[in-house]
Amino acid sequence: MEFQKDNTFVTGRLKSVNYAVKGALKLLTTEHSIMVQFSLGVLVTIAGFYFGISATEWLFQTLAIGFVMSIEGLNTAVEKIADFIHPTYHERIGFIKDIAAGAVFFAALTAIIIGLIIYVPLIF
């Protein structure tokens, strides 16, 4: 079966969006790390409504949630590719996976700092 690219603008974009939505749903329904990040995103969104955060704070919070979930999704993709290429443990594959996990750590740390800047003054 040969893959045929859809070169028309509208239907090609609709197919791309369809694939993106399918991928997001696969992440949300199969990957525990994304489930945790999504749940935390929902909790801080509820907190944002509860504390009545400003439009600027909403922007930073939304960007932080999207940033962490995006990097987590890329990390998952790297892990899946690495496991497909080399299913058994390999030192170099482990190194690659550690680097991808480190990127998630930086994104999560950034999101935590943003959350602290927004919510600590509101709580205390």
Side-chain angles (χ1 to χ4, degrees):
M1 178 183 192
E2 187 177 319
F3 175 76
Q4 294 202 343
K5 185 176 180 180
D6 187 344
N7 290 320
T8 60
F9 181 76
V10 174
T11 57
R13 298 306 63 80
L14 289 174
K15 285 181 180 178
S16 294
V17 169
N18 185 43
Y19 294 137
V21 170
K22 283 182 182 178
L25 290 174
K26 284 179 185 177
L27 277 170
L28 284 170
T29 57
T30 64
E31 298 300 320
H32 292 275
S33 56
I34 289 287
M35 291 176 199
V36 169
Q37 301 298 351
F38 183 77
S39 298
L40 290 171
V42 169
L43 286 174
V44 295
T45 299
I46 292 167
F49 284 113
Y50 178 80
F51 287 106
I53 63 177
S54 72
T56 303
E57 291 166 333
W58 274 115
L59 289 172
F60 279 104
Q61 178 171 293
T62 303
L63 283 169
I65 293 167
F67 181 55
V68 171
M69 290 187 63
S70 296
I71 299 297
E72 189 71 64
L74 291 172
N75 176 55
T76 299
V78 167
E79 289 180 355
K80 299 289 183 193
I81 291 169
D83 290 343
F84 178 77
I85 291 170
H86 209 291
T88 59
Y89 176 79
H90 189 279
E91 185 177 330
R92 290 170 74 183
I93 293 291
F95 181 78
I96 292 166
K97 290 167 98 175
D98 287 347
I99 290 171
V104 175
F105 174 77
F106 285 132
L109 188 61
T110 301
I112 289 168
I113 292 168
I114 289 169
L116 290 172
I117 290 169
I118 293 171
Y119 290 105
V120 166
L122 297 172
I123 293 170
F124 300 108

